């Protein structure tokens, strides 16, 4: 999403409301943001951390373009899969 993501780690390292620094790259843009741990889910032998962050307006535009691009790619892949399953 524009203001959040989930990450999976092998061990429990953080608590809800902790502020952590996250860094990631999407295509040609590098993000370095502070994020708040909003919730934690236990998944078998891992932990899923749900993060909230506030990107700058420029970063938000980049995220929006990337998300829209990925949504279109996913719809295209799903359409292709369904077409092959129904024929």
């Amino acid at each position: 999403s524009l203001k959040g993501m989930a990450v999976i780690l092998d061990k429990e390292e953080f608590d809800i409301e902790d502020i952590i620094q996250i860094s990631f790259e999407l295509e040609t843009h590098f993000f370095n943001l502070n994020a708040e741990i909003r919730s934690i889910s236990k998944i078998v032998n891992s932990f899923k951390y749900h993060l909230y962050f506030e990107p700058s307006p420029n970063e938000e535009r980049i995220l929006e373009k990337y998300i829209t691009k990925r949504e279109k790619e996913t719809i295209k892949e799903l359409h292709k899969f369904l077409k092959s399953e129904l024929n």
Side-chain angles (χ1 to χ4, degrees):
S1 76
L2 288 176
K3 296 187 176 191
M5 70 170 53
V7 296
I8 297 174
L9 301 176
D10 292 337
K11 53 187 174 178
E12 191 170 16
E13 296 188 34
F14 307 106
D15 295 313
I16 293 175
E17 296 185 355
D18 281 358
I19 304 296
I20 63 169
Q21 188 171 11
I22 58 170
S23 300
F24 58 96
E25 188 173 355
L26 293 178
E27 296 176 341
T28 60
H29 187 80
F30 185 77
F31 292 82
N32 189 17
L33 304 165
N34 290 326
E36 178 184 358
I37 307 289
R38 289 284 175 97
S39 66
I40 304 168
S41 306
K42 177 85 166 106
I43 305 173
V44 187
N45 294 323
S46 301
F47 295 88
K48 185 175 185 179
Y49 293 89
H50 303 265
L51 311 176
Y52 174 81
F53 50 81
E54 284 285 342
S56 70
N58 183 52
E59 290 170 328
E60 199 167 304
R61 281 190 294 279
I62 293 166
L63 286 168
E64 184 175 25
K65 285 180 184 178
Y66 178 80
I67 291 167
T68 300
K69 177 184 167 202
R70 286 296 300 137
E71 285 174 343
K72 287 179 182 178
E73 291 170 352
T74 302
I75 290 168
K76 186 176 179 180
E77 290 169 13
L78 181 59
H79 183 265
K80 184 178 176 182
F81 171 77
L82 291 174
K83 188 174 179 181
S84 70
E85 289 295 310
L86 297 174
N87 290 329

